[in-house]
Each structure stands twice: as C-alpha cells, then as structure tokens.
Amino acid sequence: MIEESRFEKGYKKLSEIDGEAGEMVVENLKDISPDLGKYIIEYCFGDVYSRDVLDLKSKEIAVVAALTALGNAKPQLKIHINGALNVGCSINEIKEIILQMSVYSGFPSCINGMNALKEVLNERQKQGKNDLIGDSPVNETSSNSRYEIGAKELEQLDSMQVERLEKAYKDFSPSLTKFILEYGYADIFARNNLDKKYRQIATIAALTALGNAQSQLKFHINGGLNIGLSVDDIKEIMLLMTVYSGFPSAINGTNILKEVLNQRKK
C-alpha cells in the first residue's frame, strides 16, 4: 500500500473541511505564488489538520474564535465559518463563539464576525444548503443577581478567582470586577447552548492568537484543564495557531502551558 504524500493528505483534508471555498483559495494563488498554495495544503492541512488529537469541530471552533479576535482576515474567517458548518457546528454554536469574542477582543471584532457569518449563511442558502440552527441559549434565571451568577460561573474554572479579582480591584476599580462577572460570565459564559469545553477551546485559541494577554491565557489554560480539557488538547490548539497567528504566538502559548503544568504539580 502506497503511503499518501503530504500534499495528497492535505488536499483531502482541505476538501473535507472547506470544500470549494478552500480549493478556490489555492487555485487563486497559482499565478502569483504557487508555493504558498502548496504550503497551505502540505503544512496547514497535511501536517496540522490531519492530526487526530482534536476533532475537526473543535479545530474549527478554535479557528473561528482566533480569526474573529484577530479581526484582520475576513475572507479567511468566512472560509472557516463555512468549514465549521461543514464539520458539524450549528449556526447558534458559531454565533456563541463570535459573541464570546466580545469579551476578549471587543465589540467591533464581534460585530464584524457576525456580519461575516450573515454573509456565509446567505451564500450557503443560495447554494441550497440548509444548516442546522441548533439550540437557542438560555441564561440562568433565578432570584440571584448577575454578580452572583457570574461568580458561580467563574468558580467552575477556578474556585479562587473571584476572591483574587475582588482583592485586586476592590479599592482601585471595583466596577471592573463587577463587569467581568456580570457581563463576561453571567451574560456570556452562563449561556447554555455551547459546551463549556468548546468555550475554553475558543478562549485559549483567541488569547494565544492575540498574544497580548499572557496572564489571562494562563488562567484559561488552567481553567480548561479544570473542566476536562487534556494537556494534549491544549498542545494541539497551540499547533493549530501556528497556521493562523504564527509560530511566535504558538511558542509563547506553549510556554505558558508549561508554566501552568509546573504550578499544578506543586
């Protein structure tokens, strides 16, 4: 049996995830930089995407989150929104990933991501594709305040983090702690139509790609491990980010993972 070449393996994976949209990217590069098209297929899809530690849905969630957060690659974001739908994400799951990025990269990137999703859905409808809508979100409703709901949500990632936030900002900026808990965790993370592991995959990918919030990345790597992500899952996110934000961000993210693991041993 003849082993597939990196190119053959990569082209199959590209077609599986991104379909014609991905193939057109490579085709459009032939007259200006065929080598770039070749490396996209061989490295991005033959070497990285063909690894089986994370499933394709998890990978596309990570990529949609990272590209939304970066905010500088709308055509590629559209291709990966399309890919996420192709590999099993529902429309509402993708909405949740993009909405969650409002916490990490701000509302403008989130608005742009939602508009990209609208464009992709319109294009797919014209092609006769009927995508799964998925579950609508439900926030916890009780007599508890949003602050209490957010604190409960954050404590699932780290039981001591609320206390740390309150201690750090009680006298200096108590509103910052309030908004983190009430918006970031009560309004966003408490929405129940995206698995908590997917939320952490999205956050870890986005913070790795952004590369400007190492302490927050460290917290979310630790939180991801606390809710069931494996070390290998997180290593795989870092490898995936070599494609979308480059090797320096992946190296920095991997070093932060090492720090977290060393601290958890103590």
Side-chain angles (χ1 to χ4, degrees):
M1 186 174 178
I2 300 174
E3 185 177 351
E4 283 184 314
S5 68
R6 291 168 67 226
F7 188 92
E8 290 168 334
K9 184 166 63 173
Y11 199 87
K12 283 185 180 179
K13 191 60 68 175
L14 172 68
S15 300
E16 178 184 355
I17 299 166
D18 295 330
E20 291 182 5
E23 293 168 12
M24 284 177 60
V25 171
V26 176
E27 185 65 28
N28 288 337
L29 290 169
K30 281 187 176 179
D31 62 345
I32 182 66
S33 181
D35 283 346
L36 177 56
K38 175 175 176 285
Y39 295 148
I40 288 170
I41 291 173
E42 290 185 347
Y43 178 69
C44 303
F45 290 91
D47 291 345
V48 177
Y49 263 92
S50 293
R51 295 166 60 88
D52 59 5
V53 176
L54 285 175
D55 61 25
L56 291 179
K57 180 176 178 178
S58 297
K59 288 177 180 176
E60 287 300 273
I61 283 172
V63 174
V64 168
L67 291 177
T68 299
L70 288 170
N72 58 6
K74 181 181 175 182
Q76 291 73 27
L77 174 58
K78 287 180 65 177
I79 286 172
H80 284 283
I81 288 172
N82 188 71
L85 292 165
N86 289 341
V87 299
C89 284
S90 70
I91 293 170
N92 281 342
E93 284 177 323
I94 296 174
K95 286 182 182 179
E96 286 301 308
I97 297 158
I98 295 171
L99 182 62
Q100 187 172 314
M101 292 305 102
S102 66
V103 178
Y104 300 102
S105 55
F107 282 84
S109 65
C110 182
I111 292 167
N112 293 340
M114 286 296 182
N115 286 333
L117 173 59
K118 282 177 65 176
E119 291 177 19
V120 170
L121 293 176
N122 287 335
E123 290 163 6
R124 288 172 71 92
Q125 285 173 359
K126 290 176 183 176
Q127 296 166 5
K129 296 178 181 178
N130 296 312
D131 294 302
L132 177 67
I133 295 173
D135 296 332
S136 296
V138 177
N139 286 68
E140 180 183 344
T141 55
S142 70
S143 60
N144 292 340
S145 69
R146 287 167 65 231
Y147 192 97
E148 291 170 324
I149 292 168
K152 178 182 175 184
E153 197 70 27
L154 179 54
E155 285 168 352
Q156 293 182 49
L157 300 179
D158 186 324
S159 61
M160 298 300 295
Q161 186 65 6
V162 174
E163 182 180 332
R164 292 189 197 105
L165 285 172
E166 291 175 338
K167 183 177 179 181
Y169 301 113
K170 180 180 178 181
D171 297 325
F172 187 71
S173 182
S175 293
L176 178 58
T177 299
K178 180 176 183 288
F179 292 155
I180 288 170
L181 293 176
E182 292 185 349
Y183 181 70
Y185 288 90
D187 290 351
I188 301 299
F189 269 73
R191 292 160 67 93
N192 66 354
N193 64 333
L194 185 65
D195 186 275
K196 292 189 186 301
K197 288 184 181 180
Y198 289 146
R199 287 200 182 277
Q200 287 307 106
I201 286 171
T203 300
I204 291 167
L207 290 176
T208 300
L210 288 168
N212 56 7
Q214 293 194 354
S215 62
Q216 289 77 20
L217 175 57
K218 189 173 182 179
F219 170 77
H220 281 285
I221 287 174
N222 191 64
L225 293 169
N226 288 342
I227 63 163
L229 291 181
S230 72
V231 174
D232 284 343
D233 290 336
I234 298 172
K235 287 180 183 178
E236 207 66 22
I237 295 169
M238 300 308 166
L239 292 177
L240 191 59
M241 289 305 101
T242 66
V243 176
Y244 299 99
S245 55
F247 281 87
S249 66
I251 291 167
N252 292 340
T254 301
N255 285 335
I256 291 171
L257 172 59
K258 287 174 68 175
E259 289 178 26
V260 170
L261 294 177
N262 287 334
Q263 289 178 359
R264 287 171 71 96
K265 290 176 184 177
K266 294 178 181 178

